Amino acid sequence: MDISFKNVSYTYQPNSPFAHQALDDVSFSIPSGTYVAVIGHTGSGKSTLIQHLNGLLRPTTGTVTIGDFVMSRTDKPKDMKALRSRVGVVFQYPEHQLFEETIAKDIAFGPKNFGVSDDVIKQRIDDILPTVGIHHDMLERSPFELSGGQMRRVAIAGVLAIKPEVLVLDEPTAGLDPRGQRDVMDMFYSLHKKEKMTTVLVTHNMEDAVKYADHIIILNQGKKYLEGKPETIFSDEDTLQQVQLDVPEVIQFLWKYEQKFGHSIPYNRQSITDIAQAIKEHIKEVGNDE
Amino acid sequence: MRQKLVEFRNVSFRYDDDGPWILNDCSFTIYENQSVAIIGHNGSGKSTIAKLMNGLLFPQKGQILIDGKEVNAQTIWDIRKDVGMVFQNPDNQFVGTTVQDDVAFGMENRGIAREEMMKRIEDTLTAVGMQHKRLSEPHRLSGGQKQRVAIASVLAISPKLLILDEATAMLDPKGRQSIMKTVSHLHEQDVMSLVSITHDLEEVMMAEWVIVMNQGEIWAEGTPRDIFTRKDAFHKIGLDIPFVGKLTEALRRADVSITEEPLNHEELLEALWTFHSKT
């Protein structure tokens, strides 16, 4: 499903002393099947933006369109449930939302609510378990006996079980150890590739954004500050530093390399091995010239 | 030689009598005024170490000494005066209705005189850069601000040891950096040992000494430079290595010889410069 935001603003508690504008005239469009990363600091409006994607919030002004669903201050889709069955949101610390007696019941809760039959749910659970790395034997155990990392995977399985077309991820790796982080991110990436799922990753981790996303949107104080391809968005050091965003370490290093050696190695998401090769070739070249 | 502050002697711990050992025969020493990072994958036993240090848990085997005193049911109240701890989730550690009440709480429990309390509130909130918020309600603060208040509350009891148990894990990069700066500044100013239990490789680089845990055992100990030379093994136990380490390794594979183990961009660039001058 294509996603488009047209001049979207959102104000919490409008017309009151606590009024707070969280989104300010934000426009962008995400074609179906894209992996997009939304980056910004705490308070930049990321979480408010997410809640527009499945109709938890509707814009104060402007229009949000998700596939055929159109939302504005006055327009509300008749079938909000249909929208929510197609946009799966993995909120921060999703394991806090586990509640059922068994893992199987917890995963089944979402699809059951959307009227999916028990047989189909069972089939879906069988498909999802290997993806999230949860063993079949564990299905009848309580989700509360699991480790933090496992609990997160079960919670994610619950979202995947509704078979969403759009998957929204709000800081999905917060609090996991480095291997857990990599596993979870790789899992979402392969789902994105395999199922052609439109993926919206909300993060303050620049490294992940650069590694996985096709398109990056940077929010700052409720406004869209920059957007573009990961290769190009980091070309302007000053612009990024104004919003105090962390430039991925590899790019920082390449900038410093250029300063020291007067030679630029452009970043286009090449692997560390390729970067090492480029450095070696450059150093050799200089050596031969002298 | 520095005085020993924390000593683990062959410590083993498990939660249930028939459960698996969470810690298995661990021995190490932390000295006065030393900053130590404890790293390891989830479930490696790092947080258990922290809880054993201030008597939230007791070991089934072995001994733990803090400043020469063995940690047991009789000594924990004394020991907790010396050992302050900041946990991961800032929302779980507030009791006061204002920031200053919260900082006062630990001191009230220890019967510190009012005048002294006033002074310490002022000092510690200033030290963490939160004096302007002393009358704010803690839940209205950002995550990073909350952690700074939590640190101030612990500092107010002037501990000999400050333990940060993944205290920056829930913060964004800005919040994390500000906490790290605050903590390293405090560590420079006061005589206090610092133990940070962390996944954050930058925090590890800032420590004087690193203890690497794997499956309940001490897998390695050393300076950050020593530790990060063992890259291959690191991957095996589920830990990441810093970018500089990865690039150094890739360069070596491409026959760019780098002899010393660089710890940061500048050191790596310097090593490349040396290599380039020789070529």
Side-chain angles (χ1 to χ4, degrees):
Chain A
M1 292 201 291
D2 296 336
I3 298 171
S4 109
F5 274 52
K6 222 170 168 187
N7 308 105
V8 172
S9 298
Y10 187 83
T11 306
Y12 286 100
Q13 297 178 277
N15 310 319
S16 82
F18 303 107
H20 168 66
Q21 184 166 13
L23 286 180
D24 185 359
D25 197 22
V26 174
S27 301
F28 59 82
S29 62
I30 303 170
S32 188
T34 314
Y35 193 132
V36 54
V38 179
I39 304 178
H41 281 300
T42 314
S44 61
K46 296 180 304 211
S47 299
T48 307
L49 188 148
I50 283 188
Q51 295 180 64
H52 282 81
L53 294 173
N54 71 345
L56 285 174
L57 296 177
R58 278 186 291 142
T60 311
T61 58
T63 317
V64 173
T65 314
I66 318 279
D68 300 332
F69 301 89
V70 181
M71 283 168 286
S72 67
R73 194 173 66 84
T74 47
D75 279 320
K76 180 180 167 186
K78 282 185 196 66
D79 195 355
M80 204 55 118
K81 210 166 169 181
L83 170 66
R84 290 183 185 148
S85 72
R86 294 167 73 180
V87 179
V89 183
V90 177
F91 284 103
Q92 273 184 47
Y93 297 94
E95 60 274 21
H96 293 172
Q97 300 172 35
L98 296 170
F99 72 102
E100 274 283 13
E101 288 167 340
T102 69
I103 292 171
K105 281 186 187 170
D106 210 295
I107 300 177
F109 181 78
K112 223 178 172 113
N113 268 304
F114 291 123
V116 180
S117 75
D118 287 352
D119 290 348
V120 176
I121 292 179
K122 205 179 156 293
Q123 184 56 48
R124 286 190 188 173
I125 291 181
D126 288 345
D127 292 346
I128 290 164
L129 287 183
T131 317
V132 296
I134 295 288
H135 203 271
H136 219 274
D137 298 346
M138 296 162 76
L139 278 178
E140 293 310 311
R141 280 171 53 184
S142 160
F144 300 102
E145 290 170 6
L146 302 173
S147 75
Q150 288 172 322
M151 279 166 78
R152 177 144 332 163
R153 286 154 184 279
V154 169
I156 290 169
V159 176
L160 297 177
I162 64 171
K163 283 236 164 205
E165 289 164 53
V166 178
L167 186 62
V168 183
L169 309 167
D170 189 0
E171 294 287 358
T173 62
L176 297 179
D177 67 8
R179 181 185 281 176
Q181 293 185 5
R182 206 168 45 230
D183 288 352
V184 166
M185 289 310 295
D186 286 347
M187 174 187 87
F188 286 128
Y189 190 65
S190 68
L191 273 170
H192 162 74
K193 285 278 170 210
K194 209 169 72 191
E195 314 276 341
K196 309 263 178 301
M197 209 165 4
T198 311
T199 307
V200 181
L201 168 70
V202 174
T203 184
H204 44 233
N205 186 330
M206 283 285 194
E207 316 277 338
D208 281 348
V210 169
K211 191 164 166 201
Y212 298 102
D214 310 315
H215 192 80
I216 294 180
I217 297 172
I218 298 180
L219 289 181
N220 187 44
Q221 296 178 348
K223 290 195 172 71
K224 185 178 82 182
Y225 183 74
L226 267 181
E227 77 173 311
K229 282 186 176 355
E231 301 90 296
T232 51
I233 209 158
F234 296 108
S235 53
D236 189 350
E237 194 175 347
D238 293 342
T239 317
L240 286 169
Q241 278 175 353
Q242 266 172 31
V243 285
Q244 298 188 2
L245 276 170
D246 281 0
V247 176
E249 204 180 345
V250 51
I251 295 172
Q252 288 179 28
F253 181 79
L254 291 175
W255 285 345
K256 288 186 197 158
Y257 185 85
E258 184 176 351
Q259 273 173 15
K260 189 157 181 115
F261 290 87
H263 171 78
S264 145
I265 297 172
Y267 180 70
N268 49 30
R269 300 216 264 178
Q270 63 271 57
S271 69
I272 284 207
T273 312
D274 291 342
I275 290 173
Q277 198 59 38
I279 291 177
K280 180 194 169 180
E281 274 159 23
H282 166 242
I283 288 180
K284 259 194 166 165
E285 213 174 279
V286 182
N288 291 341
D289 286 353
E290 281 166 353
Chain B
M1 192 64 195
R2 290 197 273 194
Q3 286 282 321
K4 288 178 182 178
L5 183 67
V6 180
E7 214 181 326
F8 271 51
R9 293 184 184 159
N10 307 98
V11 171
S12 296
F13 174 83
R14 58 181 170 187
Y15 283 97
D16 301 313
D17 289 343
D18 50 357
W21 291 101
I22 306 293
L23 280 189
N24 202 353
D25 198 19
C26 291
S27 302
F28 62 86
T29 305
I30 293 171
Y31 295 91
E32 248 175 20
N33 211 21
Q34 195 179 28
S35 76
V36 176
I38 303 182
I39 57 174
H41 58 86
N42 284 354
S44 62
K46 347 182 259 303
S47 290
T48 307
I49 290 185
K51 289 179 186 136
L52 287 164
M53 278 183 194
N54 75 345
L56 286 173
L57 299 171
F58 297 108
Q60 279 86 4
K61 292 186 200 165
Q63 264 187 319
I64 298 166
L65 287 94
I66 305 284
D67 208 11
K69 286 185 289 254
E70 186 178 351
V71 181
N72 58 38
Q74 284 78 50
T75 58
I76 51 168
W77 301 107
D78 279 343
I79 280 167
R80 286 184 191 156
K81 285 180 194 156
D82 292 340
V83 181
M85 200 152 153
V86 178
F87 294 96
Q88 184 181 61
N89 190 339
D91 291 317
N92 292 348
Q93 39 201 328
F94 284 109
V95 283
T97 48
T98 63
V99 164
Q100 64 176 6
D101 284 355
D102 206 80
V103 178
F105 180 76
M107 291 189 282
E108 283 169 349
N109 282 336
R110 286 165 181 79
I112 292 167
R114 184 180 159 80
E115 291 69 40
E116 177 65 15
M117 263 169 51
M118 301 293 279
K119 185 179 170 297
R120 289 200 196 173
I121 290 173
E122 182 64 32
D123 289 352
T124 57
L125 283 176
T126 307
V128 299
M130 290 295 293
Q131 71 280 28
H132 61 295
K133 294 276 186 190
R134 61 187 291 169
L135 293 174
S136 300
E137 295 170 46
H139 70 266
R140 289 196 185 270
L141 304 175
S142 74
Q145 290 176 327
K146 283 178 189 169
Q147 286 301 55
R148 280 193 267 162
V149 173
I151 291 172
S153 307
V154 171
L155 291 177
I157 58 163
S158 21
K160 291 180 182 153
L161 171 65
L162 174 63
I163 305 173
L164 303 173
D165 187 1
E166 299 196 36
T168 63
M170 291 178 82
L171 306 180
D172 68 13
K174 223 158 109 189
R176 184 172 300 169
Q177 268 167 15
S178 111
I179 293 294
M180 278 163 56
K181 249 190 225 149
T182 304
V183 169
S184 71
H185 181 67
L186 289 169
H187 182 244
E188 277 163 25
Q189 288 200 320
D190 291 323
V191 179
M192 180 176 71
S193 305
L194 187 66
V195 169
S196 56
I197 291 168
T198 184
H199 292 309
D200 189 86
L201 296 169
E202 271 178 71
E203 274 178 58
V204 177
M205 300 299 223
M206 282 167 62
E208 290 167 61
W209 195 253
V210 184
I211 298 175
V212 187
M213 296 299 299
N214 185 40
Q215 296 180 345
E217 288 174 13
I218 293 176
W219 182 80
E221 264 193 274
T223 62
R225 207 181 291 276
D226 294 339
I227 292 291
F228 286 121
T229 50
R230 307 178 62 177
K231 294 183 197 71
D232 294 345
F234 246 66
H235 271 297
K236 271 187 215 133
I237 62 165
L239 292 176
D240 213 359
I241 51 167
F243 167 78
V244 170
K246 285 182 197 155
L247 184 56
T248 304
E249 208 51 22
L251 284 163
R252 283 180 183 144
R253 279 200 304 272
D255 292 325
V256 176
S257 94
I258 295 168
T259 42
E260 290 281 302
E261 194 59 37
L263 276 190
N264 51 41
H265 292 182
E266 285 65 32
E267 288 182 15
L268 177 54
L269 287 167
E270 207 45 55
L272 283 170
W273 190 259
T274 311
F275 178 78
H276 139 266
S277 319
K278 282 187 203 148
T279 312

